[in-house]
Amino acid sequence: MQKIREFHRQSVQDRDAFWAREAQRIHWETPFTQVLDYSNPPFARWFVGGRTNLCYNAVDRWLDTQADQPALIWVSTEVEQEIVYTRAELSREVNAAAAILQQLGVEQGDRVLIYLPMIPQAAFFMLACARIGAIHSVVFGGFASHNLAQRIDDAEPRVIISTDAGSRGGRPIAYKPLLDQAIAQCAHGPEHVVLVNRGLAAMDLTAGRDLDYATLRARHLDAQVPVVWLESSSPSYILYTSGTTGNPKGVQRDVGGYAVALCASMEYVFGGKPGDVYFSSSDVGWVVGHSYVVYGPLLNGQATVMYEGTPVRPDAAILWRIIETHRVNALFSAPTAIRVLKKHDPALLTRHDLSSLDRIYLAGEPLDELTGQWLSEALGKPVIDNYWQTETGWPILSAQPGVEEIPPRFGSPTVPVYGFDVRVVDESTGQDCGPNRKGVVAIEPPLPPGAMSTIWGNDERFVQTYFRSFPGRLTYSTSDWGLVDDDGYWFILGRTDDVINVAGHRLGTREIEESVNTHPAVAESAVVGVADQLKGQEAMAFAVLRNPALLDEAGGRDRLEAEIKRVIEQRNGAVARPARIMFVNSLPKTRSGKVLRRAIVALCEGRDPGDLTTIEDPGALDQIRSVL
C-alpha cells in the first residue's frame, strides 16, 4: 500500500498543494485566492474567493464534447418506462426548471424543497437550483407529514416541488395529501407548490398556490437561464439527517469544495472517466443520491442511471439487466439489497452480460464479510465496501483503485480516503488508540472539501454535536466504533449508541450479528440490547433464515437456537451470548435499508416503538411482536 499511503500523506500534510491541484478538475469563473481558510476552527472554508457553479460543471461544461451522449438514464420498473436524456436534452430540461423557479420569484439564497420519488424532475430541479444559486433541500419521498413539516419549518422554502404519487412494488403511494397535511402544520408555508402529475393518484389543488409542472415546462422549454456564479463557500444544499434530540439536523454543503471532492472521487475511488456509465441504486432523498446519482457522475462527464424500483421487481435480476442494457461500468448499491438477492435463485446472477461492469461498491450500512464474499465470487467482480456519512458527503474509508489497486479484505472498508485524517480515539482519554484497539472513529479537522460546512442555521449545534466528544481535543466524531489491524485495514464495529453493556462488559451489536450471520442457515440478523434488572442489559437476536422450513422440523427451532448461541460463544465469548435467538421472516427496516433497532428494543421492553414513518414493511414489526 505504499502508493496509496503516500497519496494520503500528501493530502493531509501538504493539504494546500494537494487540493489546489485537484481543484483544476472543475471550471472556476473566478480563480480562488486561498485554498483553505481555517482561521475559525472547526469551520473550514475551501477555495476562498473562487467563483463557480455546480450546474455549469455538471451540464454546460460538457456540451461541446458530449451534447449527443447519454447523461441521465431513467429506468422505472414501477411504471415500466425508460428515458435516456442526452447532455443537450438534460440542459434543456434544467434550463426550463430554472426558468420556472425564477418566474415564481426564487432568487439566490432562497430555499426550494423537493419532495419527489426517483423521477427525472428531481434531478432537473436540483440542478436548476444550483444554476440560479438557490439552495435545495430534498426530502425523501413518502416521509410522513410531521417529518416533512419539521423540514419545511426549518428550511423555510419559497417553493416546493412535489407530485401526485410515487410507486413502490407497483402500488401508488400518494404524496400530495401528505404534503398538504405538512404545510397545514407549518408556521411558514411555501408561496407555491409545483406538482408533477404522473397520473397515479387524484390530487386536490389549492388555488393560487398549486401549479402544474407540465404547463409551466411548456412555457419555458426553450429558456436559456444564465448561470449565477457563486463564491466557493456559498451553501449549495441542505440535507436533513436524524438527530439524537429528535430534531433533524440540516447538513449544509458548500459549492466549490463539493464539486472538487466529488469530481476527484469519481476517478480515485470509483475508477470512472468521462463517457463511462455509473449506476447508483440509491434514492435522491439520501446523501448517496445527491453525491452519486446526480452530482458526482455528471461533474466527471459520466452518464448516470436513476432507478425507480426495487431490486427484485420484476425479478431479482433487474439490476443486472440494467447493467447489461446500458453498459454500466460501476454499480453502487447497499448491502441490504444484496442480502435480499441472496434469497433468490442464484442463476439470476449470471443471466445477463456483465462484461462492462468493472466493480461493485456497497455502502450505507456495514457490509458483512459473508455477503461481500458471496457476491464477489458469484459475479467474479471486485466488491468494494466503503464507509461514510451524510455529514461527510463522500467516502471516508474505501479502496481507491484510481490511486492504487490493493487487495480487499471482506468485512473491512479498507483504508482512509485521501483528505480524511482518520483516527481511532479512546472516548475516555481522548488519546489515539494503537492497532487492534477498539475506539471511536474520528476525523482530525479541518474536514476536507465536500464535507458539511455547518448545520443549517445552527453553528453552535454543529460544534457541540460533532466536535466536543473527546476530552482535550477538537475532533470530529463519527459516533461509530472501529479499529485498525496491524496491516492498516480498518473495521467498523457499529454505532457508539448501539453498544450493549452486559454486566459491565461493553459489546458491539455488529460484532454479535457478524457471528450470528456465520451460521449457514442464517440470511441476516439484528441484535439489540434489552434492559435487564440483573445485568443492566442483555442481548437479544432476531434472525431471518434462508429456509424457514427448518423451523418446522422436529426440534428444529431449539436446535438452531442452540447452534447459533454456540457459534457466538465460540467467536465472542460467553458474555456475548444472547438471551434468546428469535426467528422471523423479515427484519423491520427503513425504505433505505437500515434496521429499526430502536423500534425492536422498544417492543422487547414493552414500550411504544414511536415514529415509524420510514418503515418499509409494518408487518415486520408485527412479526417481532408475535415471537416475543
Side-chain angles (χ1 to χ4, degrees):
M1 290 194 281
Q2 184 175 352
K3 185 175 181 181
I4 205 167
R5 283 174 171 157
E6 174 59 21
F7 194 74
H8 183 270
R9 187 199 64 77
Q10 292 174 11
S11 74
V12 296
Q13 293 185 13
D14 195 7
R15 186 178 288 116
D16 282 14
F18 181 92
W19 286 111
R21 182 181 72 243
E22 296 304 326
Q24 303 312 307
R25 293 175 177 273
I26 71 165
H27 170 82
W28 296 92
E29 185 69 6
T30 303
F32 51 88
T33 56
Q34 183 180 359
V35 175
L36 170 65
D37 176 4
Y38 195 55
S39 59
N40 182 27
F43 300 92
R45 296 178 62 231
W46 287 96
F47 311 118
V48 179
R51 301 180 72 80
T52 187
N53 184 281
L54 276 168
C55 180
Y56 179 87
N57 279 284
V59 181
D60 304 58
R61 186 165 64 114
W62 300 97
L63 287 174
D64 287 344
T65 56
Q66 295 186 358
D68 297 326
Q69 293 182 24
L72 177 64
I73 300 165
W74 180 57
V75 179
S76 173
T77 54
E78 295 293 339
V79 295
E80 300 301 331
Q81 277 187 275
E82 289 195 16
I83 303 175
V84 178
Y85 296 88
T86 65
R87 194 76 56 161
E89 289 167 338
L90 176 61
S91 175
R92 191 182 191 205
E93 296 289 351
V94 170
N95 272 275
I100 291 170
L101 294 176
Q102 287 187 331
Q103 177 194 324
L104 300 179
V106 176
E107 300 176 346
Q108 179 180 341
D110 287 342
R111 275 76 64 205
V112 175
L113 189 138
I114 300 171
Y115 182 57
L116 289 173
M118 287 292 284
I119 58 176
Q121 288 77 13
F124 300 162
F125 277 100
M126 289 170 73
L127 291 163
C129 288
R131 187 172 195 83
I132 64 174
I135 302 167
H136 63 67
S137 179
V138 182
V139 176
F140 176 69
F143 255 147
S145 300
H146 172 71
N147 306 79
L148 182 55
Q150 284 182 309
R151 288 152 174 80
I152 295 172
D153 267 338
D154 194 65
E156 297 183 341
R158 192 163 190 173
V159 172
I160 292 178
I161 314 295
S162 192
T163 184
D164 57 335
S167 181
R168 185 76 174 174
R171 298 187 304 272
I173 301 171
Y175 281 34
K176 185 57 163 57
L178 296 172
L179 177 60
D180 287 340
Q181 293 164 26
I183 293 173
Q185 297 174 38
C186 291
H188 303 285
E191 296 173 17
H192 294 288
V193 174
V194 177
L195 293 160
V196 180
N197 189 348
R198 307 182 71 195
L200 297 177
M203 288 190 289
D204 292 327
L205 301 181
T206 299
R209 186 195 73 185
D210 295 349
L211 304 169
D212 178 60
Y213 164 73
T215 302
L216 294 171
R217 174 183 176 272
R219 187 180 304 160
H220 295 289
L221 197 50
D222 293 318
Q224 292 292 323
V225 176
V227 167
V228 174
W229 301 106
L230 302 169
E231 201 281 330
S232 178
S233 297
S234 301
S236 59
Y237 68 75
I238 307 164
L239 180 58
Y240 288 92
T241 186
S242 58
T244 54
T245 63
N247 296 319
K249 306 185 294 285
V251 169
Q252 179 179 315
R253 200 85 66 202
D254 71 1
V255 175
Y258 189 54
V260 171
L262 291 191
C263 203
S265 74
M266 292 307 301
E267 176 185 343
Y268 294 139
V269 178
F270 298 103
K273 60 184 184 298
D276 281 356
V277 180
Y278 189 85
F279 176 16
S280 170
S281 63
S282 179
D283 190 285
V284 288
W286 310 124
V287 68
V288 178
H290 282 58
S291 294
Y292 296 114
V293 174
V294 178
Y295 287 114
L298 294 175
L299 285 165
N300 199 45
Q302 298 176 234
T304 182
V305 177
M306 173 183 268
Y307 176 54
E308 182 186 36
T310 71
V312 294
R313 187 177 185 268
D315 58 38
I318 180 58
L319 298 182
W320 319 122
R321 190 196 84 186
I322 293 171
I323 290 169
E324 177 184 46
T325 301
H326 298 287
R327 306 301 295 162
V328 170
N329 305 108
L331 171 69
F332 190 160
S333 192
T336 292
I338 304 306
R339 285 193 284 266
V340 167
L341 298 183
K342 286 172 69 177
K343 301 177 184 179
H344 292 263
D345 184 356
L348 295 172
L349 293 167
T350 54
R351 176 191 290 177
H352 296 281
D353 175 10
L354 303 183
S355 58
S356 66
L357 186 66
D358 296 322
R359 297 174 187 85
I360 298 170
Y361 296 81
L362 299 176
E365 57 179 298
L367 172 63
D368 60 281
E369 181 177 346
L370 293 177
T371 297
Q373 189 166 2
W374 171 82
L375 183 63
S376 181
E377 291 175 354
L379 296 182
K381 304 286 183 180
V383 172
I384 295 177
D385 180 12
N386 60 107
Y387 163 76
W388 49 299
Q389 301 179 313
T390 299
E391 290 86 347
T392 66
W394 56 292
I396 303 170
L397 303 171
S398 181
Q400 296 145 67
V403 179
E404 179 184 18
E405 294 277 6
I406 59 175
R409 289 187 182 173
F410 293 112
S412 167
T414 319
V415 295
V417 173
Y418 57 90
F420 288 98
D421 188 359
V422 197
R423 314 289 181 88
V424 178
V425 177
D426 185 295
E427 63 172 343
S428 301
T429 66
Q431 300 298 308
D432 288 357
C433 298
N436 299 304
R437 273 194 61 202
K438 180 178 174 181
V440 180
V441 178
I443 303 168
E444 200 66 17
L447 297 179
M452 70 186 299
S453 49
T454 188
I455 291 175
W456 174 254
N458 200 334
D459 288 349
E460 180 60 24
R461 189 181 182 191
F462 171 67
V463 176
Q464 293 300 325
T465 299
Y466 296 106
F467 291 91
R468 297 294 188 193
S469 297
F470 308 114
R473 65 192 291 182
L474 189 73
T475 300
Y476 176 93
S477 171
T478 66
S479 296
D480 281 312
W481 296 113
L483 62 79
V484 188
D485 69 13
D486 291 322
D487 297 323
Y489 283 80
W490 287 64
F491 295 83
I492 302 299
L493 305 175
R495 295 290 294 174
T496 57
D497 50 11
D498 281 341
V499 170
I500 303 173
N501 194 322
V502 181
H505 297 275
R506 294 168 64 84
L507 306 170
T509 56
R510 166 80 191 282
E511 296 164 289
I512 304 174
E513 287 170 4
E514 291 253 346
S515 296
V516 175
N517 293 344
T518 61
H519 192 286
V522 175
E524 61 177 336
S525 66
V527 174
V528 297
V530 180
D532 178 79
Q533 283 189 328
L534 180 63
K535 301 177 181 178
Q537 282 183 304
E538 63 180 6
M540 190 83 74
F542 296 85
V544 178
L545 298 180
R546 298 177 188 275
N547 180 11
L550 292 174
L551 299 175
D552 298 327
E553 298 175 0
R557 189 179 301 270
D558 292 340
R559 176 181 60 81
L560 284 170
E561 184 172 5
E563 288 177 2
I564 295 170
K565 285 184 176 180
R566 192 155 51 245
V567 169
I568 296 168
E569 186 169 346
Q570 289 170 349
R571 289 172 60 95
N572 304 94
V575 69
R577 186 178 58 224
R580 289 295 312 277
I581 310 286
M582 306 286 194
F583 299 102
V584 293
N585 292 330
S586 61
L587 298 173
K589 298 177 181 177
T590 67
R591 297 185 188 96
S592 63
K594 294 186 178 179
V595 176
L596 289 162
R597 287 179 174 80
R598 291 183 183 179
I600 296 174
V601 172
L603 292 180
C604 290
E605 296 178 351
R607 297 182 285 106
D608 182 350
D611 181 9
L612 299 172
T613 52
T614 63
I615 192 168
E616 169 71 21
D617 177 16
L621 271 185
D622 293 334
Q623 284 191 47
I624 300 288
R625 288 189 181 95
S626 66
V627 297
L628 289 171

